Amino acid sequence: GEDVKPFTPGKAKEIVMSLQQPAVFCNMVGDWPALHWNVKYLSTVLDGKTIQFRLGLKTVDLVPQFETRCSYVKATLEEFLAWSCGQPSCPSGPFSCYEYSKYWAYADYKYIARIFEDKPEIFQDIRWSDFGFPGRSGKESTLWIGSEGANTPCHLDSYGCNLVLQVQGRKRWHLFPPGDTSFLYPTRIPYEESSIFSKVNVANPDLKHFPEFRNTTAHVVTLSPGQVLLVPRHWWHYVESIDSITVSVNSWIELDADHEARVEEAITRMVVCAVKSAENPTDGDSWLNPTEVEATSHEINLQYLNKAVSTYFKCQEASVSEQARSSSAGVGQRTGASCKRKKREVGWEPEGCRSLTHEFGFSAFKAEKLQKIPFGPHLIQVLPQSQEIGSMGAVAVESDGRDHLHENEGGRFGKLHWARKQSVMSNHCEVPACHMDADGSPKASQMALSTNDLLDCLVNPHVISLVAQLLLERRGV
């Protein structure tokens, strides 16, 4: 029948928890009321409530448009809709200073529980229970509304894996496997908990300063309405809206590995805050992402580190106990918000380590690998792009019964033939002529290492992982 989904909740969950490559679920959400969440409908539901939009330039630079480089306005969805449709705005309206042909707008990371707190019934429009997570709804999800060109800089999420539902318009996802981390030049500046950014603008890579980017393997897919993308743990992703208006909903799925990741994040926060707070601030040195309210003190960060380490060991003990009982006990469930960007507090602790292991039965998934991935018209793997170097294709791949999705025009990377503006940003910009010696070489002052250069080494993900292991060994003795 039409109402029969291709995968049972149990099977869908098994795929989500086992698959280590991106894939698109099709025909799983046809009965979700959330599929009607276009901007016009949401504007009616919000009834004049304002939300914050991030605005960036449509011109493609060699430097990523980090959130620290963007402008911000508060506006209603009606105002956003009028602006994105090219209608003349009020001279004093929120978008009056931003010409639609030159700017994009993005209302990103909007927690549905927060913006619809007075309309809790809308939470049930999203049914992650169909993917094997009972009790998980819109309350544990995040809303994204953007105009054409809106994008998220290439980054990886430290915590969990990600399920993304496309509601309106199409988005193109450029994904890179965890093994490409060193080729993407990871940085923690700007600093934001749980987000490791790439210094490379993958839409227009600066191969002179980032030559190793040539070695990356991009997996590119255009996500259409009604499809759900699985982004596995630690996969890098750059996301761009390719239609005039896009609406997406996502939920981060917690994993047992997050406990160690939180220790790593606590170490990173302590190092970055200590070093950058000690440095004399310079003009334009926006090292803290706008999503982080303030730089936390050393004392606060140390408390958070100890709490994260303590929680890690508690959960290790709970996991061992759970394994001992798993043969006779059923798998329980837990409902909890996956707030990736939630500000960390000193008293933070997960909502029960034992119940986290209980919810996902993660130990069982580690032991029992998915025997055969059921790729086909209902689960489409996102394959690597062609190995040839060329222009990034702009091909929207629909669900047409093929057993894979990929962009077959162009190579793994390439320069887009768009207008570009060379910005003097970061430590990897061109050296102006006035800073050259007579022989044409950079002056010694330009070759000096900066604080950010040091931090890129100190808090490199590989280094932090090693430090966390040593710290846990010390604490465990």
Side-chain angles (χ1 to χ4, degrees), residues 269-280 451-452 454-455 458:
R269 176 184 284 273
M270 174 173 285
V271 173
V272 172
C273 287
V275 173
K276 293 300 289 185
S277 296
E279 184 181 44
N280 290 327
T451 301
N452 289 357
L454 175 63
L455 282 173
L458 286 177

Side-chain angles (χ1 to χ4, degrees), residues 49-205:
K49 186 175 183 179
T50 61
I51 56 178
Q52 182 168 269
F53 287 85
R54 176 166 60 93
L55 291 109
L57 286 167
K58 287 184 176 179
T59 52
V60 181
D61 196 355
L62 291 175
V63 180
Q65 284 199 61
F66 292 123
E67 292 172 58
T68 50
R69 301 180 64 206
C70 293
S71 301
Y72 294 83
V73 300
K74 286 191 174 182
T76 65
L77 284 184
E78 290 89 346
E79 292 169 326
F80 166 74
L81 193 59
W83 176 77
S84 62
C85 292
Q87 298 178 19
S89 59
C90 172
S92 60
F95 293 105
S96 60
C97 297
Y98 304 96
E99 190 177 328
Y100 178 73
S101 62
K102 297 180 180 178
Y103 289 88
W104 49 256
Y106 210 2
D108 50 3
Y109 290 99
K110 302 302 180 218
Y111 286 103
I112 293 173
R114 191 172 303 158
I115 62 175
F116 295 115
E117 58 186 352
D118 56 339
K119 296 179 174 64
E121 64 277 3
I122 203 172
F123 299 157
Q124 303 312 312
D125 287 3
I126 300 167
R127 304 168 179 172
W128 297 115
S129 56
D130 285 344
F131 288 84
F133 304 100
R136 185 177 289 262
S137 65
K139 191 175 182 181
E140 294 80 31
S141 306
T142 311
L143 181 67
W144 309 70
I145 302 171
S147 66
E148 182 181 4
N151 63 80
T152 302
C154 187
H155 69 284
L156 70 79
D157 301 323
S158 301
Y159 309 146
C161 61
N162 195 0
L163 285 174
V164 187
L165 165 67
Q166 193 62 29
V167 177
Q168 180 179 4
R170 296 165 301 155
K171 277 185 174 178
R172 185 172 296 118
W173 287 71
H174 304 256
L175 301 121
F176 302 87
D180 282 358
T181 293
S182 62
F183 307 143
L184 286 159
Y185 299 84
T187 183
R188 297 312 301 263
I189 304 296
Y191 175 78
E192 169 189 285
E193 177 167 351
S194 79
S195 291
I196 302 175
F197 292 105
S198 168
K199 287 186 173 183
V200 183
N201 182 354
V202 300
N204 186 30

Side-chain angles (χ1 to χ4, degrees), residues 156-159 188 191-196 233-234 257-272 301 304-306 308-309 312 348 458-472:
L156 70 79
D157 301 323
S158 301
Y159 309 146
R188 297 312 301 263
Y191 175 78
E192 169 189 285
E193 177 167 351
S194 79
S195 291
I196 302 175
R233 182 174 186 263
H234 286 182
D258 292 349
H259 301 310
E260 185 169 353
R262 293 191 189 281
V263 175
E264 295 175 357
E265 281 298 307
I267 296 169
T268 301
R269 176 184 284 273
M270 174 173 285
V271 173
V272 172
N301 291 335
Y304 175 48
L305 173 60
N306 277 282
V309 169
Y312 170 85
W348 169 84
L458 286 177
V459 296
N460 180 282
H462 298 302
V463 175
I464 290 296
S465 177
L466 177 59
V467 173
Q469 292 174 31
L470 292 172
L471 198 63
L472 292 171

Side-chain angles (χ1 to χ4, degrees), residues 60-62 200-208 210 213 392 412-416:
V60 181
D61 196 355
L62 291 175
V200 183
N201 182 354
V202 300
N204 186 30
D206 182 354
L207 298 179
K208 178 180 179 181
F210 307 114
F213 182 73
M392 278 186 173
R412 291 178 293 176
F413 60 88
K415 294 187 177 180
L416 298 180

